[in-house]
Amino acid sequence: MYTTELDKQKQPPEGANVTAIDGAEDPALVEAFEARVAADEFIEPKDWMPEAYRKTLVRQISQHAHSEIVGMLPEGNWITRAPSLRRKAILLAKVQDEGGHGLYLYCAAETLGTSREEMIEALHSGKAKYSTIFNYPTLTWADIAAIGWLVDGAAIMNQVPLQRASYGPYARAMVRVCKEESFHQRQGYEAMLVLANGTPEQKRMAQDAINRWWWPSLMMFGPPDDQSPNTERSMRWRIKRETNDELRQKFVDITVPQAEFAGLTVPDPDLSWNEAKGGYDFGEIDWEEFYAVVRGEGPVAKERMKARRDAWEDGAWVREAADAHEAKKAARKVA
Amino acid sequence: MPSLPTISEKDEARAAASDAGAPEGSFDAPTASAHDEATIAYVTSLGDDALILGQRLSEWCGHAPALEVDLSLANMGLDLIGQATNWLGLAARHDERYANADALAFHRDVLDFRNCLLVEQPNGDFAQTMARQLLFSTWQHLLLERLAGASDEAIAGIAAKSVKEVAYHRELSHDWVVRLGDGTEESKRRMAAGLDWCWRFIPELFEVTEELEALVQRGIAVDPRSFEEEYRAALAATLEEATLDAPAEQRPILGGRRGHHSEHLGHLLAVMQYLPRTYPEAKW
Ligand SMILES: [Fe+2]
Ligand SMILES: [Fe+2]
Ligand SMILES: [Fe+2]
């Protein structure tokens, strides 16, 4: 998921064209590169690539990595309170998977010449972004089910096409990630079905969770296509393979019947089946809300960033100790 | 059913593994020994140790000093919750008061928990967490190695299944204690403080009550005193490698095995048990 480029500078300038960032690059190299990408070849770390491609990829992959890591927090919030041993194990394994995704993705981004420390620093300073979805709180157990079902569901929708991304290390990371995400989505939906068929209190939790998570999930696909000027170039470079609106539509079409099957109401009065297009029409997304969250004004954005910074700062002495021990060991070997 | 993404074979295996919490399991085979009250209490204590420590480790999730550490703490937590599920499942099958492992985990109060005091100690900083892990995993490993040869098939089976996991926990905590002890001034000070906090709970691990003695006689339980020397020697070796002095011997604090716990356990249970107790009719 989380692959939508989130620009800190609120809405992107209209009609911005970013194709010709590097006038200095050898046109023959650029041409050869574009041809390889167009032929669906993988670009590997040692291959020549335009600077703008490298920069865009670092931003996209690190943003995705940060999202995995920050995404551990809303669900981590419920591990100690999971209602059965089985649910506790499933949730802990899931959150651990997300950490693993973060790790593969940081490694993939590092192949482009940016260190994990630099990327983490950019997250903590607020320079780098992460998916808007994780700036919403998990209030009840049903939120854990909703995240698995909707958030991992949206993630899959975004990530499956990226298994064919042009950058080899990224595409390969996505293959591993997608397998696990689809498992998470299934588990989340199953947990939701149990709640939706449970006691009146559980049904209430389930409906309340979809009420709160539905729209933020749709926002995960990023701004509408006409507000997303980099899409065209990213598609040409095959680091994005379908547009935000196409993916959002797919997600709605797959998810609405799942909600109906669970007996849950999708909180959108404008939702209706459109026979002609073979998909659902749905209501207008509150883009004001979306851009506010992108700017870092989400309901629990401060909590999320504080938790990440605290973990990093409180753990500094541990990382220093590990380095010091390695250095001493190496020195002893020499001596 | 609406269309859902397909699920790979590996995922199916994982699903099966995470289904371990289901009431029936492979350890349901009828065994020669009668599972009397003392045996059930013993098995429960093994399960409670794993459950409470697994719960503690899961508190770290998302907050560890590095991503790799986060993953290994979660991994240990998962192993322990799986072990707890097996032990408590076995206990519940022979205790008509409890329908399954969840009933034991979520519907007992402090006085009925049988875990040792060490595992309920707060995480503290990462050094204290690793001190607790070293002290416990070393003990648990030596115990399970022996218990895998116990006369009761069900008990021996769970022990054998868990011993490899615990060997890894033991190694991981050993490595961290060495790293932190040998690392920087600060990490050495913190590691020493973490060990000092946990040290008074060691004697409880080797306490032998009359009931335990009787189970040992019947070949059901292992007498922990049989490996106390090995335990002490292993700790001494780790501390030496970590260039740390052993904490001064402290007055033993006991009581966990009889349900007399530290103040910490009540809070841990309040968090862990809140949902099933708030909604006793609900299934999850
Ligand atoms: Fe993920
Ligand atoms: Fe996921
Ligand atoms: Fe029972």
Side-chain angles (χ1 to χ4, degrees), chain A residues 262-281:
Chain A
L264 296 168
T265 307
V266 174
D268 178 357
D270 297 326
L271 188 75
S272 66
W273 178 253
N274 180 333
E275 191 61 54
K277 84 170 177 186
Y280 287 89
D281 289 331

Side-chain angles (χ1 to χ4, degrees), chain A residues 153-212:
Chain A
I156 298 163
M157 211 54 76
N158 260 332
Q159 290 169 8
V160 163
L162 292 171
Q163 297 179 89
R164 298 176 292 121
S166 60
Y167 189 57
Y170 189 31
R172 290 188 287 274
M174 282 302 104
V175 172
R176 296 179 71 175
V177 167
C178 281
K179 263 191 207 154
E180 292 176 351
E181 300 296 14
S182 67
F183 192 54
H184 299 163
Q185 196 269 355
R186 256 189 115 83
Q187 287 173 328
Y189 186 60
E190 185 265 331
M192 194 53 121
L193 283 179
V194 170
L195 297 174
N197 293 299
T199 65
E201 291 92 343
Q202 286 176 303
K203 284 186 178 145
R204 180 182 170 212
M205 275 182 211
Q207 184 58 50
D208 186 69
I210 187 174
N211 290 351
R212 283 179 290 110

Side-chain angles (χ1 to χ4, degrees), chain B residues 36-95:
Chain B
D36 52 290
E37 223 173 287
T39 308
I40 293 168
Y42 183 60
V43 169
T44 304
S45 76
L46 296 169
D48 287 347
D49 283 348
L51 174 63
I52 301 303
L53 187 54
Q55 175 77 3
R56 278 288 185 232
L57 289 171
S58 75
E59 293 170 8
W60 271 106
C61 191
H63 306 281
L67 196 41
E68 289 83 349
V69 179
D70 224 312
L71 298 183
S72 48
L73 292 171
N75 215 33
M76 286 198 290
L78 266 175
D79 287 344
L80 287 163
I81 289 161
Q83 291 169 20
T85 304
N86 289 332
W87 289 123
L88 296 180
L90 176 62
R93 277 196 290 285
H94 297 283
D95 186 340

Side-chain angles (χ1 to χ4, degrees), chain A:
Chain A
M1 105 178 51
Y2 337 125
T3 47
T4 308
E5 267 188 83
L6 299 176
D7 202 332
K8 262 215 113 174
Q9 266 47 55
K10 216 190 151 204
Q11 267 122 338
E14 202 120 327
N17 188 338
V18 257
T19 5
I21 284 182
D22 277 291
E25 283 170 350
D26 180 346
L29 284 173
V30 175
E31 201 181 314
F33 167 85
E34 297 271 359
R36 286 188 63 196
V37 169
D40 268 333
E41 277 180 49
F42 282 129
I43 304 300
E44 295 299 335
K46 292 216 160 69
D47 296 344
W48 186 87
M49 61 188 85
E51 237 357 80
Y53 175 85
R54 183 186 300 275
K55 266 195 190 143
T56 307
L57 263 180
V58 168
R59 187 164 63 226
Q60 181 171 325
I61 302 174
S62 67
Q63 196 164 283
H64 187 166
H66 298 328
S67 300
E68 300 284 356
I69 302 311
V70 177
M72 294 170 79
L73 298 169
E75 293 183 281
N77 184 37
W78 279 90
I79 294 171
T80 58
R81 292 178 290 170
S84 70
L85 294 172
R86 175 170 170 265
R87 293 286 177 205
K88 192 187 288 294
I90 289 175
L91 182 58
L92 185 51
K94 191 218 178 207
V95 178
Q96 189 194 28
D97 285 347
E98 307 301 3
H101 298 170
L103 202 54
Y104 316 148
L105 285 160
Y106 282 127
C107 291
E110 280 187 315
T111 63
L112 291 158
T114 307
S115 73
R116 202 204 303 187
E117 281 68 27
E118 287 173 274
M119 292 184 263
I120 288 174
E121 173 52 37
L123 172 69
H124 292 176
S125 72
K127 222 178 97 196
K129 298 273 90 183
Y130 57 91
S131 178
T132 51
I133 193 79
F134 300 120
N135 293 304
Y136 293 90
T138 48
L139 304 182
T140 72
W141 173 252
D143 290 22
I144 298 310
I147 289 180
W149 171 34
L150 301 173
V151 175
D152 287 80
I156 298 163
M157 211 54 76
N158 260 332
Q159 290 169 8
V160 163
L162 292 171
Q163 297 179 89
R164 298 176 292 121
S166 60
Y167 189 57
Y170 189 31
R172 290 188 287 274
M174 282 302 104
V175 172
R176 296 179 71 175
V177 167
C178 281
K179 263 191 207 154
E180 292 176 351
E181 300 296 14
S182 67
F183 192 54
H184 299 163
Q185 196 269 355
R186 256 189 115 83
Q187 287 173 328
Y189 186 60
E190 185 265 331
M192 194 53 121
L193 283 179
V194 170
L195 297 174
N197 293 299
T199 65
E201 291 92 343
Q202 286 176 303
K203 284 186 178 145
R204 180 182 170 212
M205 275 182 211
Q207 184 58 50
D208 186 69
I210 187 174
N211 290 351
R212 283 179 290 110
W213 291 94
W214 177 257
W215 290 106
S217 299
L218 296 194
M219 292 176 196
M220 282 173 66
F221 297 94
D225 292 348
D226 57 9
Q227 297 290 313
S228 190
N230 294 344
T231 291
E232 197 194 318
R233 189 188 61 178
S234 289
M235 302 240 323
R236 192 181 79 239
W237 278 346
R238 312 215 165 170
I239 51 180
K240 181 166 187 158
R241 310 229 42 166
E242 284 172 76
T243 73
N244 297 351
D245 287 332
E246 284 165 2
L247 291 167
R248 189 165 15 243
Q249 182 69 50
K250 268 194 187 175
F251 175 76
V252 170
D253 291 344
I254 284 187
T255 311
V256 168
Q258 292 172 354
E260 281 168 1
F261 181 84
L264 296 168
T265 307
V266 174
D268 178 357
D270 297 326
L271 188 75
S272 66
W273 178 253
N274 180 333
E275 191 61 54
K277 84 170 177 186
Y280 287 89
D281 289 331
F282 53 95
E284 183 63 25
I285 290 170
D286 181 355
W287 293 113
E288 287 290 317
E289 161 78 8
F290 171 75
Y291 286 112
V293 179
V294 171
R295 286 194 306 270
E297 296 167 21
V300 293
K302 278 199 186 339
E303 283 86 345
R304 297 291 182 251
M305 286 312 294
K306 181 180 187 311
R308 284 316 312 157
R309 285 192 203 109
D310 285 354
W312 189 248
E313 284 160 22
D314 294 349
W317 68 271
V318 176
R319 299 190 302 275
E320 281 158 23
D323 289 345
H325 171 68
E326 277 314 305
K328 284 186 193 177
K329 237 170 64 179
R332 280 194 290 263
K333 233 180 218 162
V334 173

Side-chain angles (χ1 to χ4, degrees), chain A residues 183, chain B residues 7-17:
Chain A
F183 192 54
Chain B
I7 189 161
S8 73
E9 261 172 63
K10 179 196 153 216
D11 292 341
E12 298 282 12
R14 284 188 50 171

Side-chain angles (χ1 to χ4, degrees), chain B residues 133-207:
Chain B
Q133 200 68 43
L134 177 74
L135 267 46
F136 182 73
S137 296
T138 304
W139 177 81
Q140 196 194 17
H141 184 233
L142 294 170
L143 174 72
L144 292 180
E145 275 182 333
R146 288 160 178 80
L147 208 52
S151 64
D152 185 290
E153 256 178 66
I155 292 175
I158 298 175
K161 208 179 151 195
S162 314
V163 76
K164 244 190 166 160
E165 294 170 350
V166 174
Y168 170 72
H169 304 173
R170 180 181 174 181
E171 193 184 316
L172 186 116
S173 56
H174 161 89
D175 291 350
W176 270 111
V177 170
V178 169
R179 254 181 228 122
L180 297 179
D182 181 57
T184 62
E185 295 245 323
E186 181 181 8
S187 69
K188 183 182 218 85
R189 176 176 57 71
R190 286 175 181 265
M191 197 59 245
L195 288 163
D196 186 67
W197 182 271
C198 297
W199 211 250
R200 67 210 140 120
F201 304 113
I202 293 177
E204 186 184 33
L205 302 174
F206 297 96
E207 197 189 8

